[in-house]
Structure formats: structure tokens, C-alpha cells
Amino acid sequence: MMKKKVLLFADFGIDDIMAIIYAYFEKNVEIVGVVAEYGNVNKKTAIRNAKYIQRNTGRYDVPLIGGAERSMIGDPPIYYPEVHGPEGFGGFVIPEDFQEDDNVFENFHQIYDIIEKYDGELTIVCVGRLTSLATSFILYPETVAKVSEIYVMGGTFNFPGNVTPVAEANIYGDPYAANIVINYAKELTIFPLNVTQRAILTADMVNEIDKINQEKNNQLGTIIKPMMDYYWQFYKSQIPTIPGAPLHDVVTLWGIFNENEIEYELKPVRVVTSPGSAFGQTIGDFRDFVQLAEYPVHRIAMDFNYDSFIQRVTEVLTVELNNQRYR
């Protein structure tokens, strides 16, 4: 199987950081660019977090692009330190020797260059707010049309939201941007909360991953436990019986090369952009009718093979992480 060439859009909180660590060591994925934007943390922190992972993987060959700093709604973004920690790394504290430089990351045009470079071969995976991706659709429609496929972690269908009773965080953070992507994207696959919420890395699995990485003295591997423990504590405060924290963004990345392990449905989709209690809700028309709503039709993940997912993620975060650490 050919490696999937991925341009990753993320707002580097815990599950995004887990996703990029996973992606760098997953042999089926080749990250060819990273867009860091506001979302779980502000843009400046997101870029700094991406740089820290860059330093610890040595992947300076992968362009780092500054994405959106604020949403299309026009209101100041709301951040969630209780979920991802004040810095986005949960309980892990970035060492003091890691100095961030003050380079202004307004290099968004590099998205255009990357799409052109991998014309027809590129997979976009967006696991944060959709603001930067939507901006690409507005500025470079002909170029974005050359992307082979787009995967988005966001929304929730016939399942409660996590920010409001009906809305999921990535969509709620900028429903206007989500509406642009839903209306204009071709070959769009959505990994919604109702699926990703089940991609749980249990506390026992985290301890096992940590034990192996501690034994190997793997600096990158040992940040996983303090992040995931913090994440689990948040989830436990909301869902006391949950055995661990879900890897929303990791399962979306894993999904791009595991077609046979996922159940999909093609359904009409729309996003509620009008203010009120349904703001940011994703609506899928799942009626058993011949004639469904005339919304854009997209592919929605409905279920996945949990055992296969967990087995591969654990393998990558232990074996692959240590086999390839100095590449």
C-alpha cells in the first residue's frame, strides 16, 4: 500500500499532539505539512506545541504553517484549559530550555504550494476548527479541488454534543467555516463524535505504553502518560465510569488507510449557522426515505474496528516510536 501524503490541520491540544506523534511514526502515513491554528489553545501556543514535537521528532523537513488565529464568527475564541491544560499538553510541562522564537507565522500561502506539489495525491486531515481549511476553499478553490480527499474530525450525528447538548467542539468553534467546507468539499469524509468518542485509550494501556517508553528512555514517548492522565481526569469529571480518554484525532488519521475497518454511510449533511440553541449542530438526513434532504452528500463514519485500531496505535506508540526515533 502506498503511503498517504497528509497535510494535517490541527489545534494542538492533547489529542492533536497524540495524533501528530502517531502520524510521524505510522509507516502508512507521510506528513507533508502541518497547519497549526487556534482551537484548543491559541494560535501562538499551537505553533509552539507543534515546534516542540518537531524538535523531539527531528522532522524539520516538514513545513510548519501558521493557520487561523480567530474564527469567522467574529467573537473572540474560547479556550478549554480544563480539558487540555493551560499549554495544551495536559499535565506535561515543556522544559524551560525550549525557547520559542518570535517568528511571526503568517505563511498561509504555503498551503497552496503543498497542494500544487502533491497534485492529485494529497489527503487533507483536519482535526481542529475548520477555519483555516475553509479559508483555503475561499482563497484557492481551483487548487483545493486538486486535493484527493479530505478527512474531518467533527460534528455529531444522532448523538449528543460535547460543547452544547447538540454541538461538537470543532464545528461549534466556527460553524461558518464548517458550512463552507460542507458546501464545497468533494470527497469529504467526516469522523463524528459518535464514532471518535469510542476510540478510548484506557488508563491500563497508557501505563503499558509509558512503561515501555520509560524503559527505552524515550523522551517523546514519556510525554504521553502525563497528557493522557490529565485528559482522562477531565473525562472522568464528566463521565465518571469512563475507563480512559478518547483519541478523537488519532482514530481519524488511522481511518485514512483502514477503509475495510470502518463502516460508512453516504448522507446529506448541513451545519446550523443561525444563532440559538442549535448553533453549530451537524444535521445528517438518516431517514429511511427514498427522497432525502437536498443538502450536500458526504461520507460519514458510523463504526470502526476498535480492537484493530487500539492494536495498531499501541504498536506505533511503543515499537515504532523506539525503532525510528533517530530517523
Side-chain angles (χ1 to χ4, degrees), residues 201-269:
L201 193 65
T202 67
D204 290 347
M205 293 167 188
V206 169
N207 290 338
E208 187 56 33
I209 290 168
D210 188 59
K211 182 170 156 249
I212 292 167
N213 286 316
Q214 293 282 1
E215 283 166 5
K216 302 273 191 188
N217 196 22
N218 188 321
Q219 196 179 357
L220 185 64
T222 52
I223 77 174
I224 293 170
K225 181 172 163 58
M227 286 201 302
M228 290 304 292
D229 284 357
Y230 189 100
Y231 208 33
W232 182 37
Q233 289 305 322
F234 165 75
Y235 271 99
K236 266 201 304 198
S237 72
Q238 301 296 316
I239 310 166
T241 54
I242 199 164
L247 296 174
H248 304 282
D249 301 344
V250 182
V251 73
T252 306
L253 261 165
W254 171 84
I256 69 175
F257 61 91
N258 279 289
E259 288 288 310
N260 300 334
E261 305 284 0
I262 300 156
E263 285 175 28
Y264 289 112
E265 291 202 26
L266 285 167
K267 294 293 174 189
V269 180

Side-chain angles (χ1 to χ4, degrees), residues 74-310:
D75 295 337
I78 299 163
Y79 303 114
Y80 299 96
E82 69 278 11
V83 185
H84 296 276
E87 303 289 333
F89 274 100
F92 173 74
V93 180
I94 289 189
E96 286 186 5
D97 71 341
F98 183 69
Q99 297 300 325
E100 44 187 316
D101 51 34
D102 284 331
N103 287 352
V104 177
F105 263 77
E106 292 192 341
N107 55 345
F108 191 75
H109 58 275
Q110 284 189 11
I111 288 174
Y112 175 93
D113 300 337
I114 289 170
I115 297 172
E116 289 288 353
K117 181 176 177 183
Y118 298 102
D119 186 353
E121 298 182 87
L122 189 66
T123 298
I124 283 179
V125 179
C126 179
V127 294
R129 309 292 185 263
L130 280 77
T131 315
S132 299
L133 182 54
T135 302
S136 310
F137 273 96
I138 292 170
L139 295 177
Y140 316 127
E142 300 292 320
T143 300
V144 176
K146 297 178 180 180
V147 171
S148 162
E149 53 189 0
I150 297 174
Y151 282 72
V152 164
M153 187 280 126
T156 182
F157 297 98
N158 306 333
F159 188 81
N162 57 358
V163 181
T164 76
V166 296
E168 179 276 331
N170 284 341
I171 307 296
Y172 182 80
D174 195 347
Y176 299 162
N179 192 39
I180 289 166
V181 174
I182 295 286
N183 279 328
Y184 295 108
K186 303 281 184 270
E187 303 303 325
L188 176 66
T189 297
I190 301 168
F191 268 71
L193 187 65
N194 37 295
V195 170
T196 66
Q197 187 74 23
R198 298 202 300 274
I200 288 177
L201 193 65
T202 67
D204 290 347
M205 293 167 188
V206 169
N207 290 338
E208 187 56 33
I209 290 168
D210 188 59
K211 182 170 156 249
I212 292 167
N213 286 316
Q214 293 282 1
E215 283 166 5
K216 302 273 191 188
N217 196 22
N218 188 321
Q219 196 179 357
L220 185 64
T222 52
I223 77 174
I224 293 170
K225 181 172 163 58
M227 286 201 302
M228 290 304 292
D229 284 357
Y230 189 100
Y231 208 33
W232 182 37
Q233 289 305 322
F234 165 75
Y235 271 99
K236 266 201 304 198
S237 72
Q238 301 296 316
I239 310 166
T241 54
I242 199 164
L247 296 174
H248 304 282
D249 301 344
V250 182
V251 73
T252 306
L253 261 165
W254 171 84
I256 69 175
F257 61 91
N258 279 289
E259 288 288 310
N260 300 334
E261 305 284 0
I262 300 156
E263 285 175 28
Y264 289 112
E265 291 202 26
L266 285 167
K267 294 293 174 189
V269 180
R270 71 163 302 176
V271 177
V272 178
T273 53
S274 47
S277 53
F279 187 65
Q281 181 178 12
T282 40
I283 298 173
D285 192 346
F286 286 89
R287 294 176 293 180
D288 289 327
F289 289 6
V290 172
Q291 192 66 47
L292 296 177
E294 292 186 2
Y295 310 149
V297 173
H298 296 298
R299 190 171 74 150
I300 304 168
M302 302 302 291
D303 204 357
F304 69 104
N305 182 334
Y306 174 79
D307 293 338
S308 173
F309 164 70
I310 283 297

